[in-house]
Amino acid sequence: MTDGTYGTQRKAAARNRVAIIEAAHELFAQNPLVPLSEVAKRAGVGAGTLYRHFPTREDLILAAYRHDIERLTTTADEVLTRHASAKAAFVEWFETLAAYIRIKHGLGDALHSEAAQDLIRAAGAPAAAAVAKLVEACVAEGTIAPGHDPADIIMLMSFLWRVANDDEGAAQGRRLIAAVFSGLQAPPQPT
């Protein structure tokens, strides 16, 4: 095998891996119990290719979850650029996070393994950094008072992944977000 052939095969394998993860993301969002054969079909690969990259369903779920969290935690700047108001960017970012977490809850036992818990814990620091950017922009805009801890805000916003995933839940979420912003306009209480 020549170096060129090996490099071409590696590029194809990397493309296949990304295609599988993207397909898994889309299909798990629709149905967390989707058969892996459907994921392979959507990705345009055979079952053997899927299992070479992800020997177990849990491996694929963790890779898709890691990919989603990495994508989300790096989008704070992009979301801020896209919106005229930092508050709107903050709301969109948290609604996207809530959608990811709803998918995570639907994946059930696969995200209760030790490897999954390590991944979830590792996502905390990048998520807090993304929230810190959003909070700083909101402070500069005057929609949030300075001094609020991003980790506290993540905990506070966790109601979003508990509201129903329907029109009534969306309306309830908007009402609760308005209440959160009313509270965040006040300086944090000393501990």
Side-chain angles (χ1 to χ4, degrees):
M1 186 179 332
T2 66
D3 287 341
T5 303
Y6 180 70
T8 302
Q9 288 175 339
R10 286 183 53 139
K11 288 178 185 174
R15 277 192 308 273
N16 286 343
R17 181 178 175 81
V18 169
I20 293 166
I21 291 171
E22 289 291 333
H25 164 79
E26 293 171 18
L27 292 171
F28 288 153
Q30 297 166 14
N31 174 10
L33 302 176
V34 67
L36 294 186
S37 60
E38 286 297 313
V39 174
K41 183 177 176 181
R42 172 77 60 96
V45 301
T49 299
L50 184 143
Y51 285 107
R52 243 186 330 278
H53 288 281
F54 306 102
T56 69
R57 181 178 188 82
E58 180 182 351
D59 292 332
L60 178 56
I61 289 170
L62 292 177
Y65 181 71
R66 180 181 298 110
H67 177 73
D68 289 346
I69 294 300
E70 287 171 358
R71 181 186 319 173
L72 178 64
T73 58
T74 61
T75 62
D77 290 325
E78 183 268 323
V79 172
L80 284 164
T81 301
R82 194 164 11 103
H83 287 282
S85 97
K87 180 179 178 181
F90 179 101
V91 170
E92 178 188 319
W93 192 90
F94 269 101
E95 287 176 342
T96 304
L97 175 63
Y100 286 153
I101 290 175
R102 279 191 207 102
I103 293 168
K104 177 182 83 87
H105 286 297
L107 295 173
D109 292 339
L111 291 176
H112 293 290
S113 70
E114 188 59 36
Q117 293 306 305
D118 289 345
L119 174 62
I120 292 167
R121 282 188 290 275
V131 171
K133 287 181 182 183
L134 295 163
V135 169
E136 287 171 17
C138 287
V139 167
E141 178 180 81
T143 51
I144 293 179
H148 289 285
D149 184 313
D152 291 348
I153 291 175
I154 292 171
M155 181 65 73
L156 179 63
M157 296 299 289
S158 70
F159 72 83
L160 278 173
W161 41 94
R162 292 185 180 97
V163 298
N165 193 17
D166 57 21
D167 290 342
E168 287 180 32
Q172 182 182 34
R174 284 189 296 275
R175 289 190 309 272
L176 292 169
I177 288 170
V180 165
F181 270 94
S182 292
L184 290 175
Q185 288 175 342
Q189 297 296 313
T191 55

Coordinates of all heavy atoms in Angstrom, one line a residue, residues 22-57:
E22 N -23.2 12.4 12.7 CA -24.2 13.4 12.3 C -25.5 12.7 12.1 O -26.6 13.2 12.5 CB -23.8 14.1 11.0 CG -22.7 15.1 11.1 CD -23.1 16.3 11.9 OE1 -24.3 16.7 12.0 OE2 -22.2 16.9 12.5
A23 N -25.5 11.5 11.4 CA -26.8 10.8 11.3 C -27.3 10.3 12.6 O -28.5 10.4 12.9 CB -26.5 9.5 10.4
A24 N -26.5 9.9 13.5 CA -26.9 9.5 14.9 C -27.5 10.7 15.6 O -28.6 10.5 16.2 CB -25.8 8.9 15.7
H25 N -26.9 11.8 15.5 CA -27.5 13.0 16.1 C -28.9 13.3 15.6 O -29.8 13.5 16.4 CB -26.6 14.2 15.8 CG -27.2 15.6 16.1 ND1 -27.4 16.1 17.4 CD2 -27.9 16.4 15.3 CE1 -28.0 17.2 17.3 NE2 -28.3 17.4 16.1
E26 N -29.1 13.3 14.3 CA -30.4 13.6 13.8 C -31.4 12.5 14.2 O -32.5 12.8 14.6 CB -30.3 13.6 12.2 CG -29.5 14.8 11.7 CD -29.3 14.7 10.2 OE1 -30.0 13.9 9.5 OE2 -28.4 15.4 9.7
L27 N -31.0 11.3 14.0 CA -32.0 10.2 14.3 C -32.3 10.0 15.8 O -33.4 9.7 16.2 CB -31.5 8.9 13.7 CG -31.5 8.9 12.1 CD1 -30.8 7.7 11.6 CD2 -32.9 9.0 11.6
F28 N -31.3 10.1 16.7 CA -31.5 10.0 18.1 C -32.4 11.2 18.6 O -33.2 11.0 19.5 CB -30.2 10.1 18.9 CG -29.3 8.8 18.8 CD1 -28.0 8.9 19.0 CD2 -29.9 7.6 18.5 CE1 -27.2 7.8 18.9 CE2 -29.1 6.5 18.4 CZ -27.7 6.6 18.6
A29 N -32.4 12.3 17.9 CA -33.2 13.4 18.3 C -34.7 13.1 18.0 O -35.6 13.5 18.7 CB -32.8 14.7 17.5
Q30 N -34.9 12.3 16.9 CA -36.3 11.9 16.6 C -36.8 10.7 17.4 O -37.9 10.6 17.8 CB -36.3 11.5 15.1 CG -36.0 12.7 14.2 CD -35.7 12.2 12.7 OE1 -36.0 11.1 12.4 NE2 -35.2 13.1 11.9
N31 N -35.8 9.8 17.6 CA -36.2 8.5 18.3 C -34.9 7.9 18.9 O -34.1 7.3 18.2 CB -36.8 7.5 17.3 CG -37.1 6.2 18.0 OD1 -37.0 6.0 19.2 ND2 -37.4 5.2 17.2
P32 N -34.8 8.1 20.3 CA -33.6 7.6 20.9 C -33.4 6.0 20.8 O -32.3 5.6 20.9 CB -33.8 7.9 22.4 CG -34.8 9.0 22.4 CD -35.7 8.8 21.2
L33 N -34.4 5.3 20.4 CA -34.3 3.9 20.2 C -34.1 3.4 18.8 O -34.3 2.3 18.4 CB -35.5 3.2 20.8 CG -35.7 3.5 22.3 CD1 -37.0 2.9 22.8 CD2 -34.6 3.1 23.1
V34 N -33.8 4.4 17.9 CA -33.7 4.1 16.5 C -32.7 2.9 16.3 O -31.6 2.9 16.9 CB -33.3 5.3 15.7 CG1 -31.9 5.8 16.1 CG2 -33.4 5.1 14.2
P35 N -33.0 2.0 15.4 CA -32.0 0.9 15.1 C -30.7 1.4 14.5 O -30.8 2.4 13.7 CB -32.8 0.0 14.1 CG -34.2 0.4 14.2 CD -34.2 1.8 14.7
L36 N -29.6 0.9 14.8 CA -28.3 1.3 14.3 C -28.3 1.1 12.8 O -27.6 1.8 12.1 CB -27.2 0.6 15.0 CG -27.0 1.0 16.5 CD1 -25.7 0.4 17.0 CD2 -27.0 2.5 16.7
S37 N -29.0 0.1 12.3 CA -29.1 0.0 10.8 C -29.6 1.2 10.1 O -29.2 1.6 9.0 CB -29.9 -1.3 10.4 OG -31.3 -1.1 10.9
E38 N -30.6 1.9 10.8 CA -31.1 3.2 10.2 C -30.0 4.3 10.2 O -29.9 5.1 9.3 CB -32.3 3.6 11.0 CG -33.6 2.8 10.7 CD -34.0 2.9 9.2 OE1 -34.0 4.0 8.7 OE2 -34.3 1.9 8.7
V39 N -29.2 4.3 11.3 CA -28.1 5.2 11.4 C -27.1 5.0 10.2 O -26.7 6.0 9.5 CB -27.4 5.2 12.7 CG1 -26.2 6.1 12.8 CG2 -28.4 5.5 13.9
A40 N -26.8 3.8 10.0 CA -25.8 3.4 8.9 C -26.4 3.8 7.6 O -25.7 4.5 6.8 CB -25.5 1.9 8.9
K41 N -27.7 3.5 7.4 CA -28.3 3.9 6.1 C -28.3 5.4 5.9 O -28.0 5.9 4.8 CB -29.8 3.4 6.1 CG -30.5 3.6 4.9 CD -31.9 3.0 5.0 CE -32.8 3.3 3.7 NZ -34.1 2.7 3.9
R42 N -28.7 6.2 6.9 CA -28.7 7.6 6.8 C -27.3 8.2 6.6 O -27.2 9.1 5.8 CB -29.3 8.2 8.1 CG -29.2 9.7 8.2 CD -30.3 10.5 7.4 NE -31.6 10.2 7.8 CZ -32.4 10.9 8.6 NH1 -31.9 12.0 9.2 NH2 -33.6 10.6 8.8
A43 N -26.3 7.6 7.1 CA -24.9 8.0 7.0 C -24.4 7.6 5.6 O -23.3 8.1 5.2 CB -24.0 7.5 8.1
G44 N -25.0 6.7 4.9 CA -24.6 6.2 3.6 C -23.4 5.2 3.7 O -22.5 5.2 2.9
V45 N -23.4 4.5 4.9 CA -22.3 3.5 5.0 C -23.0 2.1 5.4 O -24.2 2.0 5.7 CB -21.4 3.8 6.2 CG1 -20.7 5.2 5.9 CG2 -22.1 3.9 7.5
G46 N -22.2 1.1 5.3 CA -22.7 -0.2 5.6 C -22.6 -0.5 7.1 O -21.9 0.3 7.8
A47 N -23.3 -1.5 7.6 CA -23.3 -1.8 9.0 C -21.9 -2.1 9.5 O -21.5 -1.8 10.6 CB -24.2 -3.0 9.3
G48 N -21.1 -2.8 8.6 CA -19.7 -3.1 9.0 C -18.9 -1.9 9.3 O -18.1 -1.8 10.3
T49 N -19.1 -0.8 8.5 CA -18.4 0.4 8.7 C -18.8 1.1 10.0 O -18.0 1.5 10.8 CB -18.6 1.4 7.5 OG1 -18.1 0.8 6.3 CG2 -17.9 2.7 7.7
L50 N -20.1 1.1 10.2 CA -20.6 1.6 11.5 C -20.0 0.9 12.7 O -19.5 1.6 13.6 CB -22.1 1.6 11.6 CG -22.7 2.2 12.8 CD1 -24.0 2.9 12.4 CD2 -23.0 1.2 13.9
Y51 N -20.0 -0.4 12.7 CA -19.5 -1.2 13.8 C -18.0 -1.1 14.0 O -17.5 -1.3 15.1 CB -20.1 -2.6 13.8 CG -21.5 -2.7 14.2 CD1 -22.5 -2.9 13.3 CD2 -21.9 -2.5 15.5 CE1 -23.8 -3.0 13.6 CE2 -23.2 -2.5 15.9 CZ -24.2 -2.7 14.9 OH -25.5 -2.8 15.3
R52 N -17.3 -0.9 12.8 CA -15.8 -0.7 13.0 C -15.5 0.6 13.7 O -14.6 0.6 14.5 CB -15.2 -0.6 11.6 CG -14.3 -1.7 11.2 CD -13.5 -1.6 9.9 NE -14.2 -0.9 8.8 CZ -15.1 -1.4 8.0 NH1 -15.4 -2.7 8.1 NH2 -15.6 -0.7 7.0
H53 N -16.3 1.6 13.5 CA -16.1 2.9 14.2 C -16.7 2.8 15.6 O -16.1 3.4 16.6 CB -16.7 4.0 13.5 CG -15.9 4.4 12.2 ND1 -14.8 5.1 12.3 CD2 -16.2 4.1 10.9 CE1 -14.3 5.3 11.1 NE2 -15.1 4.7 10.2
F54 N -17.8 2.2 15.8 CA -18.6 2.2 17.0 C -19.1 0.8 17.3 O -20.2 0.4 16.9 CB -19.8 3.2 17.0 CG -19.4 4.5 16.6 CD1 -19.5 5.0 15.3 CD2 -18.7 5.4 17.5 CE1 -19.1 6.3 14.9 CE2 -18.3 6.6 17.1 CZ -18.5 7.1 15.8
P55 N -18.2 0.0 18.0 CA -18.6 -1.4 18.2 C -19.9 -1.7 19.0 O -20.5 -2.7 18.8 CB -17.4 -2.0 19.0 CG -16.3 -1.0 18.7 CD -16.9 0.3 18.5
T56 N -20.3 -0.7 19.8 CA -21.5 -0.9 20.6 C -22.4 0.3 20.4 O -21.9 1.4 20.0 CB -21.2 -1.1 22.1 OG1 -20.8 0.2 22.6 CG2 -20.3 -2.2 22.4
R57 N -23.7 0.2 20.7 CA -24.6 1.3 20.7 C -24.2 2.4 21.6 O -24.2 3.6 21.3 CB -26.0 0.8 21.0 CG -27.1 1.8 21.0 CD -28.5 1.2 21.3 NE -29.5 2.2 21.1 CZ -30.0 2.5 19.9 NH1 -29.6 1.8 18.8 NH2 -31.0 3.4 19.8

